[in-house]
């Protein structure tokens, strides 16, 4: 309790944003064990996750390799990350999408950390609000695998006014490949004949994104 009072009281007094990484980790972990204090475990978590930069990549098994973190505490960390991801997704669904920044954090958290490429279509109504999103293709994506039929079939089923295309690069290098550019051009041509707008094509990594629209490449 003595160890926990410091971050807890600081958060209540000054706000959660004033906590250091280790203090925030200690607050989530809540307690230590007979061998190690919560402060020691928290500092190890920050170090092993490289200042939290690897935290979204770490599995429950990897977290449990840290001395003092067993299944229950590992699940607390995983649950906190999942809560953040769902909160970002729920926020994106609530407001009209006007720029990549409106959805970038959600996409990076949910898709940027995946080890396999995923091609996702976000379907929007006339006000730019999300109707639904679907993962339509997985694997090593190229221009021939991403078929317009599946994309626009779902658009008509959802009565969508516009589509936001998203896919991830597991390498964290979000520079568009030649296949990415060919796929975008092909889908733009089909969208034009279908009367459905492609709002943007966003490539995400773990902590970055590339917007075709922002780079004037949506044509």
């Amino acid at each position: 309790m003595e160890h926990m009072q410091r971050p807890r009281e600081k958060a209540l007094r000054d706000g959660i944003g004033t906590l250091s990484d280790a203090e925030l980790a200690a607050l989530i972990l809540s307690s230590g064990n007979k061998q190690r204090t919560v402060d020691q475990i928290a500092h190890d978590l920050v170090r092993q996750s490289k200042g939290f930069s690897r935290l979204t990549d770490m599995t429950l098994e990897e977290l449990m390799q840290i001395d003092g973190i067993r299944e229950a505490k590992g699940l607390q960390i995983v649950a906190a990350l999942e809560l953040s991801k769902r909160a970002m997704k729920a926020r994106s669904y609530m407001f009209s999408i006007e720029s990549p920044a409106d959805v970038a954090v959600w996409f990076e958290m949910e898709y940027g950390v995946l080890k396999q490429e995923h091609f996702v279509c976000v379907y929007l109504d006339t006000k730019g609000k999300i109707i639904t999103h679907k993962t339509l293709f997985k694997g090593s994506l190229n221009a021939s695998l991403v078929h317009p039929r599946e994309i626009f079939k779902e658009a008509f089923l959802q009565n969508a006014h516009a589509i936001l295309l998203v896919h991830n690069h597991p390498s964290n290098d979000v520079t568009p490949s030649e296949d990415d550019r060919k796929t975008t051009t092909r889908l733009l041509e089909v969208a034009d004949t279908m009367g459905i707008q492609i709002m943007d094509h966003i490539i995400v990594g773990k902590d970055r994104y590339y917007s075709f629209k922002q780079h004037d490449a949506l044509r």
Side-chain angles (χ1 to χ4, degrees):
M1 288 301 296
E2 182 181 346
H3 285 288
M4 274 305 301
Q5 287 300 323
R6 293 199 295 273
R8 183 180 298 159
E9 289 180 354
K10 182 178 177 181
L12 290 172
R13 184 181 64 248
D14 303 324
I16 196 77
T18 65
L19 298 185
S20 68
D21 288 348
E23 288 171 334
L24 185 60
L27 191 60
I28 293 171
L29 292 167
S30 78
S31 64
N33 55 34
K34 291 180 180 179
Q35 289 75 39
R36 311 196 75 208
T37 68
V38 68
D39 292 343
Q40 291 172 321
I41 301 169
H43 277 91
D44 277 357
L45 175 60
V46 175
R47 184 171 60 254
Q48 293 293 334
S49 65
K50 298 189 183 300
F52 293 156
S53 65
R54 285 193 59 249
L55 193 57
T56 53
D57 293 338
M58 296 178 74
T59 63
L60 178 60
E61 289 71 24
E62 287 178 296
L63 290 169
M64 289 171 60
Q65 289 176 12
I66 298 172
D67 188 11
I69 296 181
R70 298 180 70 95
E71 190 175 78
K73 291 190 184 300
L75 284 173
Q76 285 173 220
I77 298 166
V78 172
L81 292 170
E82 181 64 22
L83 182 64
S84 297
K85 184 197 304 179
R86 295 189 188 190
M88 292 299 103
K89 178 167 66 176
R91 182 175 177 81
S92 296
Y93 264 79
M94 183 175 293
F95 301 104
S96 297
I97 307 303
E98 297 178 354
S99 74
D102 295 332
V103 288
V105 175
W106 162 33
F107 291 152
E108 288 169 3
M109 290 184 69
E110 184 155 0
Y111 301 106
V113 298
L114 299 178
K115 307 298 184 187
Q116 186 182 42
E117 285 193 42
H118 286 57
F119 191 94
V120 181
C121 288
V122 182
Y123 297 98
L124 309 169
D125 64 17
T126 55
K127 295 182 179 178
K129 295 189 72 172
I130 299 174
I131 302 169
T132 190
H133 70 284
K134 303 277 186 180
T135 300
L136 296 182
F137 309 99
K138 296 180 184 179
S140 298
L141 302 176
N142 56 51
S144 62
L145 287 177
V146 180
H147 203 285
R149 180 178 60 246
E150 301 301 322
I151 294 171
F152 292 98
K153 173 186 173 183
E154 191 65 34
F156 286 115
L157 287 174
Q158 298 295 338
N159 195 28
H161 173 73
I163 305 171
L164 180 60
L165 308 173
V166 184
H167 82 277
N168 64 304
H169 280 181
S171 65
N172 205 34
D173 178 359
V174 295
T175 307
S177 67
E178 186 60 31
D179 270 328
D180 294 336
R181 296 186 187 279
K182 287 179 180 178
T183 298
T184 305
T185 299
R186 182 185 182 198
L187 294 177
L188 284 168
E189 291 171 352
V190 176
D192 190 48
T193 63
M194 295 288 188
I196 296 177
Q197 176 191 2
I198 291 183
M199 181 181 181
D200 202 347
H201 184 177
I202 301 173
I203 303 172
V204 295
K206 288 182 288 189
D207 55 5
R208 63 199 67 189
Y209 69 88
Y210 176 96
S211 161
F212 274 73
K213 186 175 182 179
Q214 286 185 340
H215 286 81
D216 198 26
L218 202 65
R219 50 188 171 163

